[in-house]
Short mmCIF file of all heavy atoms in Angstrom, two decimals:
data_model
loop_
_atom_site.label_atom_id
_atom_site.label_comp_id
_atom_site.label_asym_id
_atom_site.label_seq_id
_atom_site.Cartn_x
_atom_site.Cartn_y
_atom_site.Cartn_z
N GLN A 16 -9.92 -1.67 15.10
CA GLN A 16 -9.17 -2.89 15.13
C GLN A 16 -10.01 -4.02 15.78
O GLN A 16 -10.72 -3.73 16.75
CB GLN A 16 -7.87 -2.71 15.84
CG GLN A 16 -6.98 -4.00 15.90
CD GLN A 16 -5.58 -3.77 16.43
OE1 GLN A 16 -4.93 -2.90 15.97
NE2 GLN A 16 -5.19 -4.52 17.44
N ARG A 17 -9.87 -5.22 15.29
CA ARG A 17 -10.60 -6.38 15.83
C ARG A 17 -9.59 -7.52 15.78
O ARG A 17 -8.98 -7.78 14.77
CB ARG A 17 -11.87 -6.71 15.06
CG ARG A 17 -12.63 -7.84 15.67
CD ARG A 17 -13.98 -8.07 14.96
NE ARG A 17 -14.70 -9.18 15.54
CZ ARG A 17 -15.86 -9.60 15.15
NH1 ARG A 17 -16.49 -8.97 14.04
NH2 ARG A 17 -16.44 -10.65 15.64
N SER A 18 -9.59 -8.29 16.86
CA SER A 18 -8.70 -9.47 16.93
C SER A 18 -9.52 -10.76 16.78
O SER A 18 -10.62 -10.85 17.27
CB SER A 18 -7.96 -9.44 18.19
OG SER A 18 -7.19 -8.37 18.34
N TYR A 19 -8.89 -11.68 16.07
CA TYR A 19 -9.55 -13.02 15.85
C TYR A 19 -8.55 -14.11 16.39
O TYR A 19 -7.33 -13.72 16.72
CB TYR A 19 -9.84 -13.26 14.41
CG TYR A 19 -10.86 -12.30 13.84
CD1 TYR A 19 -10.40 -11.10 13.28
CD2 TYR A 19 -12.16 -12.56 13.82
CE1 TYR A 19 -11.31 -10.18 12.77
CE2 TYR A 19 -13.12 -11.64 13.26
CZ TYR A 19 -12.61 -10.45 12.69
OH TYR A 19 -13.53 -9.56 12.23
N GLU A 20 -8.88 -15.36 16.38
CA GLU A 20 -8.04 -16.35 16.78
C GLU A 20 -6.90 -16.60 15.74
O GLU A 20 -5.76 -17.06 16.15
CB GLU A 20 -8.74 -17.64 16.98
CG GLU A 20 -9.70 -17.62 18.17
CD GLU A 20 -10.45 -18.98 18.35
OE1 GLU A 20 -10.08 -19.91 17.59
OE2 GLU A 20 -11.35 -19.03 19.22
N ASN A 21 -7.17 -16.25 14.53
CA ASN A 21 -6.21 -16.43 13.44
C ASN A 21 -5.77 -15.18 12.69
O ASN A 21 -5.07 -15.25 11.69
CB ASN A 21 -6.76 -17.44 12.43
CG ASN A 21 -8.03 -16.84 11.71
OD1 ASN A 21 -8.75 -16.03 12.25
ND2 ASN A 21 -8.19 -17.20 10.42
N ALA A 22 -6.25 -13.94 13.20
CA ALA A 22 -5.86 -12.80 12.45
C ALA A 22 -6.06 -11.61 13.32
O ALA A 22 -6.81 -11.62 14.39
CB ALA A 22 -6.72 -12.64 11.19
N VAL A 23 -5.50 -10.47 12.95
CA VAL A 23 -5.73 -9.13 13.45
C VAL A 23 -6.16 -8.27 12.23
O VAL A 23 -5.40 -8.19 11.29
CB VAL A 23 -4.58 -8.62 14.18
CG1 VAL A 23 -4.87 -7.15 14.65
CG2 VAL A 23 -4.16 -9.44 15.35
N ALA A 24 -7.29 -7.61 12.34
CA ALA A 24 -7.77 -6.84 11.25
C ALA A 24 -8.04 -5.36 11.65
O ALA A 24 -8.40 -5.08 12.81
CB ALA A 24 -9.16 -7.43 10.69
N GLN A 25 -7.75 -4.48 10.69
CA GLN A 25 -7.99 -3.03 10.89
C GLN A 25 -8.73 -2.41 9.75
O GLN A 25 -8.57 -2.86 8.63
CB GLN A 25 -6.68 -2.34 11.07
CG GLN A 25 -6.00 -2.35 12.41
CD GLN A 25 -4.77 -1.51 12.51
OE1 GLN A 25 -4.28 -0.87 11.58
NE2 GLN A 25 -4.23 -1.41 13.78
N THR A 26 -9.63 -1.54 10.07
CA THR A 26 -10.24 -0.64 9.15
C THR A 26 -9.75 0.77 9.35
O THR A 26 -10.01 1.35 10.32
CB THR A 26 -11.81 -0.66 9.25
OG1 THR A 26 -12.22 -2.04 8.99
CG2 THR A 26 -12.43 0.22 8.19
N ILE A 27 -8.99 1.26 8.34
CA ILE A 27 -8.36 2.59 8.44
C ILE A 27 -9.22 3.55 7.61
O ILE A 27 -9.35 3.46 6.43
CB ILE A 27 -6.90 2.51 7.90
CG1 ILE A 27 -6.12 1.55 8.67
CG2 ILE A 27 -6.28 3.95 8.02
CD1 ILE A 27 -4.71 1.31 8.09
N SER A 28 -9.92 4.56 8.35
CA SER A 28 -10.80 5.50 7.72
C SER A 28 -9.98 6.70 7.30
O SER A 28 -9.18 7.26 8.11
CB SER A 28 -11.89 5.88 8.66
OG SER A 28 -12.69 4.76 9.09
N LEU A 29 -10.16 7.13 6.07
CA LEU A 29 -9.50 8.22 5.46
C LEU A 29 -10.48 9.36 5.28
O LEU A 29 -11.71 9.16 5.15
CB LEU A 29 -8.81 7.82 4.11
CG LEU A 29 -7.83 6.65 4.21
CD1 LEU A 29 -7.31 6.35 2.80
CD2 LEU A 29 -6.67 6.83 5.18
N ALA A 30 -9.97 10.57 5.10
CA ALA A 30 -10.79 11.75 4.82
C ALA A 30 -11.52 11.50 3.47
O ALA A 30 -10.94 11.02 2.53
CB ALA A 30 -9.97 13.02 4.74
N THR A 31 -12.87 11.81 3.43
CA THR A 31 -13.68 11.52 2.33
C THR A 31 -14.37 12.79 1.85
O THR A 31 -14.92 13.50 2.68
CB THR A 31 -14.68 10.44 2.61
OG1 THR A 31 -14.12 9.28 3.13
CG2 THR A 31 -15.53 10.04 1.44
N ARG A 32 -14.32 13.02 0.58
CA ARG A 32 -15.00 14.18 0.01
C ARG A 32 -15.57 13.74 -1.35
O ARG A 32 -15.09 12.73 -1.95
CB ARG A 32 -14.15 15.34 -0.15
CG ARG A 32 -12.85 15.09 -0.92
CD ARG A 32 -11.92 16.27 -0.96
NE ARG A 32 -10.67 16.04 -1.67
CZ ARG A 32 -9.68 16.89 -1.77
NH1 ARG A 32 -9.76 18.10 -1.26
NH2 ARG A 32 -8.57 16.57 -2.45
N GLY A 33 -16.54 14.45 -1.88
CA GLY A 33 -17.21 14.08 -3.08
C GLY A 33 -18.64 13.55 -2.87
O GLY A 33 -19.06 13.46 -1.67
N ARG A 34 -19.32 13.21 -3.89
CA ARG A 34 -20.72 12.73 -3.74
C ARG A 34 -20.86 11.26 -3.96
O ARG A 34 -22.02 10.71 -3.94
CB ARG A 34 -21.57 13.48 -4.84
CG ARG A 34 -21.63 14.96 -4.55
CD ARG A 34 -22.68 15.67 -5.46
NE ARG A 34 -22.38 15.45 -6.93
CZ ARG A 34 -23.20 15.81 -7.85
NH1 ARG A 34 -24.42 16.32 -7.61
NH2 ARG A 34 -22.85 15.63 -9.14
#
Side-chain angles (χ1 to χ4, degrees):
Q16 179 170 310
R17 184 175 176 181
S18 297
Y19 300 87
E20 293 181 7
N21 66 328
V23 176
Q25 279 188 353
T26 298
I27 304 172
S28 300
L29 306 176
T31 305
R32 55 185 177 181
R34 296 190 297 172

